[in-house]
Amino acid sequence: PITASIESTKRVNTSNISNSNDRYITTEVEFDEISKNIGFIVPLSWTHSNYVTSLQFTPTFSAIETKNYTSNLVGYPYKNLNFNSAHANLTFSNTRMRAVQNLNAKWSQNVTIDYFKSLDNTVSSEKISAILNLSAVGLSKNHGLDFSFRYKKELMVNDYLYVDNFIHARGYKPLNSDKETVYSANYSFPICYPDFGFGGIVYLKRIHANLFYDSGMAERFETKFKQNSTGAEMIFTLSPLNLGANLGIGIRESFLLN
């Protein structure tokens, strides 16, 4: 299938720059962006035994225009951009079917790779990111054990920075880095299944907990910043208006190790 869209957004880029005293100043740059996109999707999927396997390739070409820049830094240099960009996405998943009470799909794998690049020599812009998710069995039938690896590389000196959808180490504020890697481990288990509703407005299906550990490393100008954390989450699985769709709402407590 062919995809096409026009997006108009107001974006904010936050970065840290050093002044003459070698101290970092946080600067925010706000601007308007219009993106005209066209692409297509090549989906492949097949079922075997208890697994559903899929492979999807999605190339997208965009005409991007930015304007109306404002900044909290007086004299910040900026220029309106008008350039063409390409985005290639490759996603592979091998997912085992699971029962409703299972918290994860055991022995499943998922890989996502994204590559962005400007097609105009006058505008520097390039980004690559990758995500690998692996799941295994826990100590009990409905427990879940998950591992993930996340990577991104995008030079902060580029003329244009793509939207940052990267999942950083939990508990830390995102750093402006040229490269970042995060390793994560999660162990989830159910606490209880209340199975009751509130006046037909919302239905509470399950309460479960998740214990996590994140190990992150951000790099900028040859300097490395460690971001390691551990903690716990409690998630309430709800069904709004008893429609059957699940909505997770949770709380998190993170302990920063660096």
Side-chain angles (χ1 to χ4, degrees):
I2 297 176
T3 62
S5 65
I6 299 177
E7 302 175 5
S8 178
T9 59
K10 180 173 287 292
R11 291 185 51 194
V12 177
N13 284 344
T14 303
S15 60
N16 296 321
I17 61 175
S18 59
N19 60 13
S20 57
N21 297 322
D22 291 329
R23 299 183 63 182
Y24 283 95
I25 301 174
T26 300
T27 177
E28 290 186 352
V29 180
E30 186 175 289
F31 59 94
D32 296 327
E33 177 177 308
I34 300 176
S35 177
K36 303 172 185 176
N37 315 296
I38 187 168
F40 59 91
I41 303 173
V42 181
L44 300 172
S45 64
W46 55 96
T47 303
H48 54 101
S49 184
N50 292 327
Y51 284 85
V52 176
T53 303
S54 65
L55 178 65
Q56 180 172 294
F57 176 62
T58 308
T60 304
F61 301 92
S62 303
I64 300 175
E65 179 184 359
T66 66
K67 57 184 178 180
N68 301 329
Y69 283 80
T70 59
S71 174
N72 64 337
L73 184 63
V74 177
Y76 177 82
Y78 65 85
K79 61 179 179 179
N80 296 336
L81 301 177
N82 195 334
F83 68 102
N84 297 311
S85 174
H87 169 211
N89 168 268
L90 182 66
T91 301
F92 169 81
S93 66
N94 185 45
T95 305
R96 182 175 177 174
M97 299 178 187
R98 61 174 177 171
V100 175
Q101 65 269 27
N102 297 151
L103 287 172
N104 74 343
K106 300 175 178 62
W107 306 120
S108 299
Q109 309 84 37
N110 181 275
V111 179
T112 302
I113 300 174
D114 287 283
Y115 180 69
F116 303 80
K117 185 172 177 58
S118 168
L119 299 178
D120 295 6
N121 294 330
T122 57
V123 176
S124 62
S125 183
E126 186 177 20
K127 175 183 177 180
I128 185 171
S129 63
I131 302 173
L132 170 64
N133 294 316
L134 304 173
S135 63
V137 297
L139 298 177
S140 184
K141 180 173 63 175
N142 293 325
H143 292 202
L145 178 61
D146 298 280
F147 302 95
S148 68
F149 167 75
R150 301 182 293 277
Y151 169 86
K152 75 160 185 174
K153 182 178 181 181
E154 182 179 28
L155 300 181
M156 298 299 296
V157 296
N158 285 345
D159 296 327
Y160 176 85
L161 299 178
Y162 293 95
V163 175
D164 182 15
N165 295 320
F166 191 78
I167 301 175
H168 306 271
R170 280 164 281 196
Y172 288 92
K173 292 183 179 180
L175 286 177
N176 304 113
S177 59
D178 297 323
K179 183 168 65 173
E180 185 171 354
T181 56
V182 178
Y183 298 89
S184 296
N186 296 273
Y187 189 90
S188 55
F189 56 92
I191 298 176
C192 62
Y193 298 86
D195 281 334
F196 69 86
F198 301 92
I201 299 175
V202 65
Y203 191 82
L204 180 58
K205 292 184 175 181
R206 177 175 60 201
I207 302 175
H208 76 273
N210 181 58
L211 307 178
F212 69 85
Y213 173 77
D214 290 341
S215 177
M217 177 73 73
E219 299 182 30
R220 179 84 189 274
F221 298 139
E222 308 262 341
T223 303
K224 297 182 178 181
F225 304 90
K226 290 184 178 180
Q227 294 186 324
N228 299 329
S229 66
T230 187
E233 301 167 328
M234 182 176 292
I235 297 95
F236 302 84
T237 302
L238 311 172
S239 178
L241 302 177
N242 296 338
L243 296 177
N246 290 334
L247 173 66
I249 298 177
I251 55 176
R252 173 190 298 158
E253 182 68 27
S254 301
F255 300 93
L256 307 186
L257 305 179
N258 299 105

